Amino acid sequence: MTESESKDKTNYLQEVKDIVSKDKRDVLMLTTKASVNGAVTGLVLGLMVGYYKSKNIYVSGLIGAVIGGVATAMIVNKK
């Protein structure tokens, strides 16, 4: 194997690693963004339910945020 063939091989390997790394980063960003959106939606819904049912709004908001974040993460990762 000559030196140029060795450089070509490592360049291909590096390109594949960069593509895989970019794909993983994109999936992580999508999952994170969706989870945050779901958590915020759950927080708002939890606060509304807590307010209208005269419950502790902080606890109901926290529970809504957790449920919204987890549900959204499960839905997005279900590919």
Side-chain angles (χ1 to χ4, degrees):
M1 187 181 295
T2 65
E3 187 177 320
S4 64
E5 289 176 358
S6 177
K7 285 182 182 178
D8 288 341
K9 187 173 184 178
T10 45
N11 288 341
Y12 291 136
L13 289 175
Q14 187 60 39
E15 288 176 13
V16 169
K17 288 178 184 176
D18 290 341
I19 291 170
V20 170
S21 175
K22 184 177 183 289
D23 289 343
K24 287 181 181 177
R25 185 175 38 228
D26 289 344
V27 168
L28 180 64
M29 290 298 293
L30 175 68
T31 304
T32 303
K33 184 177 177 183
S35 295
V36 169
N37 287 340
V40 169
T41 304
L43 173 69
V44 170
L45 290 174
L47 289 173
M48 287 173 45
V49 168
Y51 178 77
Y52 287 116
K53 292 197 173 203
S54 300
K55 304 288 183 184
N56 188 345
I57 60 171
Y58 299 114
V59 174
S60 60
L62 179 65
I63 291 170
V66 170
I67 291 173
V70 170
T72 305
M74 289 172 53
I75 291 169
V76 169
N77 288 329
K78 196 171 183 162
K79 293 180 187 180

